[in-house]
Amino acid sequence: MDIKQLIYLCNLERERHFGRAAEASFVSQPTLSMRLKNLEKELGVALINRGNNFEGFTAEGERVLAWAREIVSVYQGLKLEVASLKHGVNGTLVIGAVPQCSITLAQLLKSVSAKFPQLDFRVSVLSADQLLEALTAHTVDIGIGFFELQTLHELHFQSQPLEDSGIDLLFHPQHFPQLVGDAPLTLHEVAALPLCLAEPSRYFRRYIDQNFREAGLTLHTRLETSSLLQLVQGIFVGLGCGIFPRGNLLPEMTPQLQRRPIAIAPMSRHAAVVIAEPGRATPLAQHFFDAAKSWLLQ
């Protein structure tokens, strides 16, 4: 058994396809298949359900995968630790983020970059549930999203909660002049408006829907999309109004749009920046977390 076999196994889990897993592993598909068959032979158990295509993992394969993730994570952390000793803090951090959270991610990355200018970032947009799974499987280094704090504690993650500053309605005053003002809007007032909202699978959207449903109200969703850019463009041209956690958008980027607070119950989950427990987080992730925490607490 060697580390490459375990990396191939983890890549197959992520890609769910032999060809794509081989590409991700920078080997040919026959090479990947042969190395994984050798691993099965050495362990004496079948790990993969094979048919014409990849058909998932056996029960034994799932158990081996759990160990493989841990070993590969430690191996990659060791490589990063050696690289940081040679060259300082540099490399690429993989960040999983939900699309609507009470933080402007670009500002956070800019602040960390000021301290570690050789650090690069790759951001994947995930749902809140996918994000916790990705953190547990070590497929992302950093998680920025909505979490149950008790779950984070039980899983021994390090977390820095983000401030919950409330929820805003975002609108263009040219199209909705009646909304100009400062007083919080009621749910009844918001329900009377056409809205541009994220897709229903997102935690923030589910939170919005639940609050209006409990109030006996039905939302008029004129535009529904997974793209924040499309949401903001829809709001800008007057298709409808948007609902965002305060702090999610940079006001300077949308100077013509205005905001009104919404009187709504707080979310049950908490927004937070999350990494693995001390000693298990990669050196780059720990440096990022410490710098992010300092910036957030300013």
Side-chain angles (χ1 to χ4, degrees), residues 29 120 240 247 288:
Q29 183 171 331
D120 299 320
F288 178 97

Side-chain angles (χ1 to χ4, degrees), residues 4-39:
K4 285 188 177 180
Q5 289 171 306
L6 300 182
I7 291 173
Y8 297 164
L9 195 67
C10 291
N11 286 343
L12 182 59
E13 179 196 25
R14 184 179 70 248
E15 300 295 337
R16 316 298 293 182
H17 185 275
F18 285 107
R20 292 195 298 269
E23 289 179 9
S25 304
F26 303 102
V27 296
S28 67
Q29 183 171 331
T31 297
L32 179 130
S33 296
M34 178 191 69
R35 296 301 306 279
L36 291 179
K37 285 180 180 177
N38 289 343
L39 178 62

Side-chain angles (χ1 to χ4, degrees), residues 97-106 123 125-126 146 170 196-199 202 204-205 223-236 241-245 247-250 253-254 257:
V98 301
Q100 286 181 293
C101 198
S102 52
I103 189 173
T104 305
L105 179 56
V123 179
V125 177
L126 304 171
F146 299 106
L170 185 69
C196 300
L197 299 174
E199 60 186 4
R202 302 299 186 185
F204 183 73
R205 172 64 189 279
L223 171 65
E224 187 174 87
T225 175
S226 61
S227 167
L228 283 183
L229 176 61
Q230 294 299 328
L231 280 182
V232 174
Q233 287 182 342
I235 295 164
F236 184 82
C241 306
I243 300 177
F244 291 85
N248 179 235
L249 299 175
L250 284 170
M253 290 184 64
T254 55
L257 302 182

Side-chain angles (χ1 to χ4, degrees), residues 33-75:
S33 296
M34 178 191 69
R35 296 301 306 279
L36 291 179
K37 285 180 180 177
N38 289 343
L39 178 62
E40 290 177 313
K41 186 180 299 184
E42 181 178 347
L43 295 175
V45 293
L47 304 177
I48 302 162
N49 292 316
R50 291 178 173 85
N52 292 331
N53 300 298
F54 173 73
E55 296 179 0
F57 295 94
T58 64
E60 294 83 358
E62 294 289 352
R63 296 290 298 273
V64 172
L65 258 175
W67 283 98
R69 293 189 207 106
E70 294 289 332
I71 294 168
V72 170
S73 176
V74 171
Y75 169 73

Side-chain angles (χ1 to χ4, degrees), residues 164-180:
D164 183 356
S165 301
I167 307 298
D168 285 334
L169 185 81
L170 185 69
F171 64 96
H172 199 307
Q174 177 183 331
H175 305 294
F176 297 94
Q178 74 277 19
L179 294 176
V180 176

Side-chain angles (χ1 to χ4, degrees), residues 173-247:
Q174 177 183 331
H175 305 294
F176 297 94
Q178 74 277 19
L179 294 176
V180 176
D182 299 317
L185 294 165
T186 66
L187 297 186
H188 284 79
E189 290 173 315
V190 175
L193 300 167
L195 296 171
C196 300
L197 299 174
E199 60 186 4
S201 63
R202 302 299 186 185
Y203 169 74
F204 183 73
R205 172 64 189 279
R206 298 202 307 267
Y207 152 74
I208 294 297
D209 287 345
Q210 179 182 354
N211 275 270
F212 280 87
R213 186 168 55 249
E214 290 177 352
L217 300 169
T218 302
L219 294 176
H220 175 195
T221 307
R222 176 166 286 171
L223 171 65
E224 187 174 87
T225 175
S226 61
S227 167
L228 283 183
L229 176 61
Q230 294 299 328
L231 280 182
V232 174
Q233 287 182 342
I235 295 164
F236 184 82
V237 301
L239 271 176
C241 306
I243 300 177
F244 291 85
R246 195 167 302 139

